[in-house]
């Protein structure tokens, strides 16, 4: 009878696990990015509404109504959970659309929710908290606006042709061949709401032009939708300000301005290039180590649904902000409903006006759509699964970014667990070890000069690592003596400007259900009489737990002491040993605040005040930033501080953790030509804390146990093939790098 009951329980457990998997698979398409068909259907539907008066995004005029962005609009959480937890019908797919109404008496930005997909029939206006309007000046810059900026720069360069030509030793902006000048524009575009004026610096247009400044910067007011009314407000040259290009040229010709003469340019010795130089001690006639899969892949990918070693999740790459993971489960139990990149900022300091003004807020540059092709063997192993991404941003048709996301399993070359059990007589009782193989979900964002490598790493012991590695070119300005207060000289006339990177994530935890609580754990010293030697005292650490009951108490400020452990748990679910099932967040970060609280642009990034803040889940608080913050950080459409201002109860609630990680970067000569990734990786771990009854990686068949037999010979016990074998790709390296409309 007991055996029959046990079999029934095993059957029920197996059926439950199978059902959980089927429901997760059933629900994953809710989070899939819009298909080409869906993107085109939304575009055609909106263009068919005559009162919107939509025209092509790439038509030359700025006084037009056009689509800026189309991307997936997420379903409400409670509606999605019906499909994920009960297998019910999925909510209809919807699209989020941003339209720029430039052909209006009062130009504006309006967001719409278009549904149902793939055959849309309705559209409603999407509003923000407090029904905040979106200023037209806060819109992301478009390719057409860049064309007009290039036109006015051409006029400026014509006036200053001699100055620029002599300064650079033969480079010019107009009518050039292989000695051209280019530009980088700076944001935010002004000093207050409603402004649109940008500092722009000129650079030599060579490989790595970001670190080729020439010492000429100009402030252009481009607020008016008629580019003929744009004007130059200031010019900076050789540490001097001028009210116009004409004033600079006049003083340059009269000798009232000290002339800059850059060193002779040598195309064969280009410091900003990737071309190898110097002596190498590594043999080049053989390849270095490569990652292989001797018997094939051990993970499964079906569209946007991924399974690996007990893990399952759905993913998407939001065009506006980037990589997101949904319905993250381990052995069928949900750990998190959503883990998503929200924002990345880089705030700079410097001596030139461009450097002083540089406060990049990257969602404003659609960093999710900056996910370009990944190179096999460099960005991802050759054996990775590569996935194409499709974006609709500042375009008239979907754009295919081939091989822009990759998924792969790798060994970390570090054991997950191991022990050598010595017998202290020259031998051993046993050796045990587990190979630490992990699954990696990766994409990148190249937002002009910087490259961010975004990773989700899934371990066999129920741990998730979320991290970003920074590389690419530093943002450099023209060197001045005073500039050494704000960075380092990295080449002739080049200052690497100090800056702080901050990255913000949303972590919607569902630990054994939606009803979670949050506590911090620290240590306190205790002093008591030694029970076995009453004349003495014992001093040791004792756990000190604090239940954080409100949103304000769970918002930890930079500059204040951060708890040793931050623990999210389900008060109603316990493991075998009576502990409440939980996960903790462990930060790997050197972040700090970038501006004083409430100082102008800091209002737009109020999330940057906190390494960790915890709020109750609300569908209306879906993101901590927006595409408009870069254009208007002073009075932002989305203010994270509003999320915790009402100080709601967070005990036994659906909780969201908001995590800020980052690092200070003081550029140095080794950042030439490029910033390297070692030491520039930050992120956080989600680690089980009494969630399981034991380490779940005991299920791993990658375990090897060696015991010493009575004859002294090793006896090996393993659960994977004895001989590994090998395989090497016979395909040569190939990289295309193009992306085009479809």
């Amino acid at each position: 009878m007991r055996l029959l009951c046990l079999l029934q329980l095993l059957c029920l457990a197996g059926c439950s696990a199978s059902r959980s998997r089927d429901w997760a698979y059933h629900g994953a398409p809710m989070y899939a990015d819009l298909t080409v068909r869906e993107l085109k259907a939304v575009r055609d539907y909106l263009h068919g509404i005559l009162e919107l008066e939509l025209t092509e995004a790439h038509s030359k005029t700025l006084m037009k109504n056009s689509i800026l962005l189309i991307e997936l609009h997420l379903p409400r959480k409670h509606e999605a959970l019906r499909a994920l937890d009960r297998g019910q019908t999925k909510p209809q797919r919807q699209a989020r659309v941003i339209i720029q109404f430039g052909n209006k008496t009062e130009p504006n930005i309006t967001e719409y929710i278009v549904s149902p997909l793939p055959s849309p029939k309705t559209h409603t206006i999407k509003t923000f908290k407090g029904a905040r309007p979106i200023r037209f000046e806060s819109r992301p810059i478009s390719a057409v606006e860049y064309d007009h900026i290039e036109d006015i720069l051409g006029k400026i360069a014509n006036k200053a042709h001699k100055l620029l030509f002599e300064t650079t030793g033969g480079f010019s902006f107009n009518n050039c061949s292989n000695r051209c000048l280019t530009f980088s524009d700076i944001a935010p575009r002004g000093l207050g709401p409603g402004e649109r004026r940008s500092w722009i610096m000129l650079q030599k247009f060579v490989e790595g032009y970001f670190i080729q400044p020439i010492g000429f910067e100009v402030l252009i007011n481009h607020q008016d939708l008629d580019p003929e009314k744009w004007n130059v407000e200031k010019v900076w040259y050789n540490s001097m300000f001028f009210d116009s290009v004409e004033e600079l040229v006049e003083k340059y010709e009269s000798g009232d301005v000290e002339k800059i003469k850059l060193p002779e340019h040598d195309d064969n010795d280009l410091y900003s290039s990737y071309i190898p130089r110097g002596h190498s001690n590594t043999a080049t006639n053989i390849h270095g180590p490569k990652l292989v899969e001797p018997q094939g892949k051990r993970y499964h990918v079906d569209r946007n649904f991924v399974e690996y070693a007990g893990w399952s999740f759905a993913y998407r790459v939001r065009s506006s902000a980037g990589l997101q993971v949904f319905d993250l489960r381990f052995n069928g139990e949900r750990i998190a409903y959503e883990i998503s990149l929200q924002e990345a900022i880089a705030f700079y300091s410097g001596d030139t006006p461009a450097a002083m003004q540089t406060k990049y807020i990257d969602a404003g540059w659609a960093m999710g759509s900056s996910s370009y092709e990944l190179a096999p063997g460099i960005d991802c192993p050759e054996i990775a699964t590569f996935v194409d991404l499709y974006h609709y941003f500042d375009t008239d048709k979907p754009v295919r970014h081939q091989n822009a996301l990759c998924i792969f399993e790798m060994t970390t070359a570090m054991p997950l667990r191991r022990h050598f059990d010595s017998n202290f007589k020259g031998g051993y009782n046993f050796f045990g070890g587990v190979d630490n193989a992990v699954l990696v979900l990766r994409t990148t964002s190249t937002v002009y000069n910087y490259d961010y490598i975004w990773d989700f790493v899934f371990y066999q012991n129920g741990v998730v690592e979320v991290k970003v590695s920074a590389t690419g070119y530093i943002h450099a300005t023209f060197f001045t003596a005073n500039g050494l207060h704000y960075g380092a000289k990295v080449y002739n006339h080049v200052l690497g400007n100090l800056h702080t990177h901050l990255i913000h994530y949303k972590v919607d935890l569902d630990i054994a259900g939606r009803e979670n609580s949050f506590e911090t754990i620290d240590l306190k010293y205790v002093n008591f009489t030694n029970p076995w030697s009453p004349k003495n005292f014992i001093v040791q650490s004792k756990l000190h737990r604090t239940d954080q009951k409100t949103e304000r108490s769970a918002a930890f400020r930079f500059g204040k002491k951060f708890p040793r452990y931050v623990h999210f748990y389900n008060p109603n679910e316990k493991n075998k040993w009576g502990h409440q099932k939980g996960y903790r967040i462990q930060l790997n970060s050197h972040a700090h605040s970038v501006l004083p609280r409430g100082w102008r642009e800091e209002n737009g990034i109020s999330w940057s005040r906190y390494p960790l803040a915890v709020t109750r889940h609300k569908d209306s608080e879906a993101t901590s930033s927006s595409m408009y913050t870069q254009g208007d950080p002073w009075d932002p459409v989305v203010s994270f501080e509003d999320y915790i201002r009402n100080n709601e109860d967070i005990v036994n609630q659906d909780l969201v953790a908001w995590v800020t990680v980052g690092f200070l970067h003081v550029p140095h000569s080794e950042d030439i030509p490029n910033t390297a990734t070692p030491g520039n990786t930050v992120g956080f771990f989600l680690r089980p804390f009494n969630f399981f009854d034991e380490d779940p990686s005991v299920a791993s068949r990658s375990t090897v146990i060696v015991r010493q037999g009575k004859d002294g010979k090793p006896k090996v016990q393993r659960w994977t093939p004895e001989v590994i074998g090998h395989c090497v790709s016979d395909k040569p390296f190939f990289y295309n790098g193009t992306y085009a409309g479809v």
Side-chain angles (χ1 to χ4, degrees):
M1 185 67 181
R2 289 180 62 188
L3 180 61
L4 180 61
C5 289
L6 181 61
L7 289 172
Q8 287 176 331
L9 286 171
L10 288 172
C11 180
L12 285 172
C15 292
S16 176
S18 174
R19 187 169 60 227
S20 172
R21 187 267 175 199
D22 290 344
W23 289 346
Y25 175 73
H26 162 73
M30 291 187 294
Y31 309 106
D33 284 312
L34 299 183
T35 64
V36 171
R37 177 189 172 192
E38 289 173 326
L39 290 167
K40 289 182 175 179
V42 172
R43 175 201 62 191
D44 294 346
Y45 166 75
L46 291 172
H47 273 268
I49 301 172
L50 298 181
E51 57 265 32
L52 295 179
E53 299 179 316
L54 294 180
T55 60
E56 291 187 349
H58 284 177
S59 63
K60 186 71 173 174
T61 180
L62 295 174
M63 290 183 284
K64 66 185 176 215
N65 304 339
S66 62
I67 296 172
L68 177 69
L69 172 80
I70 305 175
E71 65 180 14
L72 176 72
H73 177 68
L74 290 173
R76 293 185 178 91
K77 182 177 179 179
H78 71 277
E79 294 175 348
L81 289 177
R82 292 173 191 160
L84 295 171
D85 294 345
R86 304 176 199 169
Q88 294 182 5
T89 302
K90 298 185 292 289
Q92 291 180 328
R93 280 170 65 78
Q94 298 178 314
R96 172 201 181 200
V97 183
I98 300 176
I99 296 182
Q100 304 177 114
F101 287 103
N103 188 24
K104 297 281 188 182
T105 306
E106 294 185 7
N108 69 85
I109 298 288
T110 304
E111 292 201 10
Y112 293 93
I113 305 303
V114 177
S115 62
L117 301 182
S119 302
K121 297 180 178 64
T122 64
H123 61 285
T124 58
I125 293 178
K126 179 183 183 296
T127 58
F128 289 85
K129 203 169 185 179
R132 291 289 309 277
I134 306 168
R135 287 188 178 89
F136 196 64
E137 292 80 8
S138 69
R139 70 193 185 279
I141 196 163
S142 66
V144 171
E145 192 168 4
Y146 271 133
D147 288 342
H148 290 297
I149 286 176
E150 193 163 345
D151 289 343
I152 192 172
L153 285 174
K155 297 173 184 176
I156 292 168
N158 277 337
K159 296 176 183 178
H161 173 75
K162 181 181 178 183
L163 177 152
L164 297 173
F165 196 85
E166 292 178 351
T167 295
T168 60
F171 282 73
S172 58
F173 196 85
N174 302 308
N175 302 317
C176 55
S177 53
N178 64 340
R179 296 210 158 195
C180 296
L181 295 175
T182 188
F183 68 93
S184 288
D185 57 314
I186 306 304
R189 306 182 189 283
L191 299 173
E195 294 187 6
R196 199 166 181 84
R197 49 195 184 122
S198 302
W199 275 103
I200 294 171
M201 60 177 172
L202 297 190
Q203 300 142 321
K204 292 181 180 179
F205 190 35
V206 296
E207 288 186 2
Y209 68 87
F210 302 104
I211 53 174
Q212 296 275 356
I214 68 166
F216 183 95
E217 300 178 1
V218 59
L219 176 62
I220 297 175
N221 188 325
H222 53 113
Q223 181 173 357
D224 201 286
L225 295 183
D226 181 359
E228 294 299 320
K229 296 179 180 178
W230 292 1
N231 64 288
V232 174
E233 294 189 349
K234 287 287 180 184
V235 181
W236 182 91
Y237 179 81
N238 201 6
S239 298
M240 295 180 66
F241 285 94
F242 306 88
D243 291 328
S244 66
V245 179
E246 290 81 1
E247 180 191 359
L248 167 59
V249 170
E250 180 184 336
K251 291 185 176 179
Y252 180 88
E253 294 290 349
S254 66
D256 291 334
V257 176
E258 183 180 349
K259 298 180 179 180
I260 300 172
K261 183 68 172 74
L262 297 179
E264 192 68 28
H265 184 83
D266 186 354
D267 288 320
N268 298 317
D269 184 25
L270 194 59
Y271 66 89
S272 57
S273 169
Y274 263 75
I275 296 173
R277 49 189 179 270
H279 176 70
S280 173
N281 293 308
T282 305
T284 58
N285 60 335
I286 56 173
H287 276 286
K290 293 290 182 181
L291 198 61
V292 298
E293 296 170 326
Q295 280 85 38
K297 300 189 185 305
R298 303 196 301 178
Y299 61 92
H300 176 69
V301 180
D302 189 342
R303 291 169 293 180
N304 73 317
F305 182 66
V306 182
E307 294 175 288
Y308 169 75
W311 289 108
S312 71
F313 59 88
Y315 73 84
R316 70 178 283 221
V317 179
R318 185 165 49 131
S319 297
S320 51
L323 192 57
Q324 300 181 315
V325 162
F326 293 92
D327 192 29
L328 177 64
R329 307 186 191 205
F330 190 80
N331 291 338
E333 286 193 271
R334 184 176 300 112
I335 307 300
Y337 175 76
E338 174 186 353
I339 308 175
S340 59
L341 173 63
Q342 295 292 305
E343 186 61 273
I345 68 170
F347 276 36
Y348 287 77
S349 299
D351 188 47
T352 79
M356 297 173 194
Q357 185 67 4
T358 303
K359 297 175 179 65
Y360 288 139
I361 305 172
D362 288 340
W365 306 78
M367 66 177 172
S369 68
S370 302
S371 52
Y372 301 108
E373 183 177 358
L374 300 168
I378 299 173
D379 293 318
C380 311
E382 290 91 341
I383 51 95
T385 299
F386 290 88
V387 179
D388 294 347
L389 299 177
Y390 295 87
H391 298 292
Y392 198 110
F393 173 74
D394 191 26
T395 181
D396 290 307
K397 57 184 176 180
V399 177
R400 174 185 173 224
H401 292 225
Q402 63 182 2
N403 298 340
L405 179 140
C406 69
I407 303 167
F408 58 93
E409 186 183 13
M410 72 172 188
T411 174
T412 63
M414 171 70 71
L416 182 63
R417 290 183 284 109
R418 59 96 66 190
H419 180 64
F420 178 84
D421 201 65
S422 173
N423 65 6
F424 303 103
K425 297 177 182 178
Y428 57 96
N429 300 312
F430 78 92
F431 164 82
V434 183
D435 168 34
N436 190 16
V438 299
L439 187 77
V440 180
L441 174 70
R442 173 174 294 170
T443 187
T444 61
S445 295
T446 301
V447 190
Y448 294 90
N449 59 305
Y450 254 106
D451 295 66
Y452 295 106
I453 303 170
W454 310 106
D455 282 349
F456 282 77
V457 185
F458 303 91
Y459 294 80
Q460 298 178 65
N461 63 338
V463 171
V464 183
E465 183 181 7
V466 182
K467 63 180 181 178
V468 57
S469 303
T471 177
Y473 285 94
I474 58 173
H475 178 65
T477 56
F478 194 76
F479 176 79
T480 65
N482 197 46
L484 290 174
H485 295 293
Y486 307 105
K489 186 176 184 179
V490 294
Y491 214 77
N492 291 322
H493 299 288
V494 183
L495 181 82
N497 296 79
L498 73 85
H499 55 283
T500 296
H501 292 277
L502 293 181
I503 316 296
H504 203 227
Y505 290 94
K506 177 184 181 181
V507 187
D508 184 346
L509 292 161
D510 284 359
I511 308 298
R514 294 183 70 179
E515 296 178 342
N516 289 176
S517 293
F518 173 60
E519 69 172 356
T520 56
I521 305 175
D522 275 301
L523 299 179
K524 279 192 173 182
Y525 291 125
V526 291
N527 185 339
F528 56 90
T529 301
N530 189 324
W532 47 268
S533 180
K535 294 181 180 180
N536 297 289
F537 294 90
I538 288 178
V539 175
Q540 61 184 17
S541 295
K542 179 181 179 180
L543 289 175
H544 178 71
R545 298 174 183 263
T546 304
D547 289 321
Q548 306 296 343
K549 297 182 179 181
T550 64
E551 291 176 328
R552 272 292 176 203
S553 70
F556 302 95
R557 292 289 304 275
F558 277 116
K560 304 290 185 180
K561 183 182 177 184
F562 192 74
R564 302 285 286 275
Y565 275 40
V566 290
H567 177 216
F568 297 82
Y569 63 94
N570 190 316
N572 310 306
E573 297 289 334
K574 296 182 179 180
N575 70 1
K576 183 178 179 180
W577 316 114
H579 296 293
Q580 291 158 328
K581 299 182 72 169
Y583 258 73
R584 68 186 183 98
I585 293 177
Q586 178 179 319
L587 301 183
N588 171 29
S589 172
H590 321 288
H592 209 279
S593 56
V594 292
L595 284 173
R597 180 178 177 130
W599 175 259
R600 291 186 174 179
E601 296 87 358
E602 195 270 349
N603 287 315
I605 55 164
S606 54
W607 52 263
S608 70
R609 300 168 184 172
Y610 312 101
L612 175 70
V614 181
T615 66
R616 284 171 63 168
H617 173 270
K618 286 188 175 69
D619 287 314
S620 61
E621 297 177 355
T623 63
S624 61
S625 189
S626 79
M627 294 189 76
Y628 317 112
T629 306
Q630 178 69 95
D632 188 356
W634 311 281
D635 187 19
V637 171
V638 175
S639 174
F640 178 76
E641 191 68 26
D642 290 343
Y643 296 179
I644 58 178
R645 188 164 281 133
N646 55 4
N647 199 25
E648 289 186 298
D649 168 45
I650 58 170
V651 176
N652 215 14
Q653 300 289 341
D654 187 357
L655 301 184
V656 177
W658 304 86
V659 178
T660 304
V661 297
F663 61 95
L664 168 67
H665 186 183
V666 181
H668 42 88
S669 54
E670 292 81 9
D671 283 310
I672 301 299
N674 246 179
T675 294
T677 55
N680 288 325
T681 297
V682 295
F684 62 93
F685 292 86
L686 283 178
R687 299 182 60 183
F689 194 70
N690 295 315
F691 188 87
F692 304 102
D693 297 333
E694 61 180 352
D695 186 334
S697 71
V698 294
S700 172
R701 291 334 191 233
S702 295
T703 301
V704 175
I705 302 173
V706 184
R707 300 180 180 90
Q708 196 169 22
K710 292 181 180 179
D711 58 1
K713 295 181 179 179
K715 307 294 182 183
V716 179
Q717 186 177 15
R718 63 183 305 144
W719 289 262
T720 52
E722 184 176 357
V723 177
I724 296 174
H726 68 278
C727 54
V728 178
S729 172
D730 58 358
K731 296 179 181 178
F733 176 81
F734 177 79
Y735 184 79
N736 183 293
T738 60
Y739 47 98
V742 291

